[in-house]
Amino acid sequence: MCLWFRFMVLPWHSKKMPKDSLVGHEAIGIVEEVGSKVTNVKSGDFVIVPFTHGCGHCAACLAGFDGDCMNVGENVNNGYQAEYLRYVNADWALVKIPGDPKSYSDEQLNSLLTLADVMATGYHAAASAEVKTGDTVVVMGDGAVGLCGVIAAKLRGAKRIIA
């Protein structure tokens, strides 16, 4: 259940990396090729590629914790900033985006990319904390995930947010 796809590389890092390093763990892209068991996406689909990579069948995945999948092997779904990426368990995790990437602005593409990791992580934190309308929320840290936690707390109705 894997596929290959080509995606847009959005490089933010200029730091020198050792040769053959696997870089990145979130992506958006166009599906290039699918394996015979993949049914939810097809060649040409525009997708969000989350950093989690569960099997979709174990107890952890079924409980909504695919980042803690009990069936993930080593070196699976790494190096998302390569030109091509092999993605395992494609039916479980990939999220289709309507339309063609060319119909989105750079700002919209960057926003879609946040859904592959930082926004989903920030929202998960707010949901796990059971943030609700009228709450006062404290977010420790103001990096990308922390700022997405602020956004998520606001979306869930927090009245006051302290970062």
Side-chain angles (χ1 to χ4, degrees):
M1 286 220 252
C2 67
L3 58 82
W4 287 89
F5 64 94
R6 185 178 187 134
F7 65 97
M8 293 141 284
V9 177
L10 302 174
W12 290 285
H13 307 288
S14 59
K15 180 179 173 184
K16 291 248 180 200
M17 297 292 293
K19 185 178 180 189
D20 298 325
S21 292
L22 298 174
V23 180
H25 61 273
E26 67 236 342
I28 55 176
I30 305 293
V31 174
E32 186 81 12
E33 182 180 323
V34 298
S36 61
K37 294 182 180 179
V38 176
T39 59
N40 290 338
V41 294
K42 64 184 183 322
S43 181
D45 283 347
F46 182 31
V47 294
I48 296 170
V49 186
F51 74 101
T52 57
H53 44 269
C55 68
H57 306 290
C58 71
C61 287
L62 293 173
F65 299 101
D66 58 335
D68 294 321
C69 179
M70 301 160 79
N71 296 319
V72 173
E74 291 185 29
N75 298 317
V76 177
N77 301 339
N78 291 310
Y80 284 24
Q81 290 185 6
E83 185 176 2
Y84 288 91
L85 166 68
R86 177 180 176 265
Y87 194 83
V88 178
N89 297 320
D91 272 348
W92 174 251
L94 295 179
V95 178
K96 289 185 204 177
I97 303 170
D100 183 293
K102 293 180 184 110
S103 64
Y104 291 90
S105 69
D106 286 344
E107 183 177 303
Q108 289 171 318
L109 291 171
N110 284 330
S111 291
L112 289 168
L113 183 61
T114 70
L115 296 175
D117 180 5
V118 293
M119 187 61 213
T121 303
Y123 192 87
H124 179 73
S128 295
E130 300 177 5
V131 174
K132 59 189 175 309
T133 302
D135 282 353
T136 295
V137 174
V138 176
V139 177
M140 300 299 290
D142 63 354
V145 172
L147 293 174
C148 288
V150 168
I151 293 167
K154 181 78 172 169
L155 288 170
R156 293 180 61 88
K159 180 179 179 184
R160 183 174 182 216
I161 302 169
I162 303 164

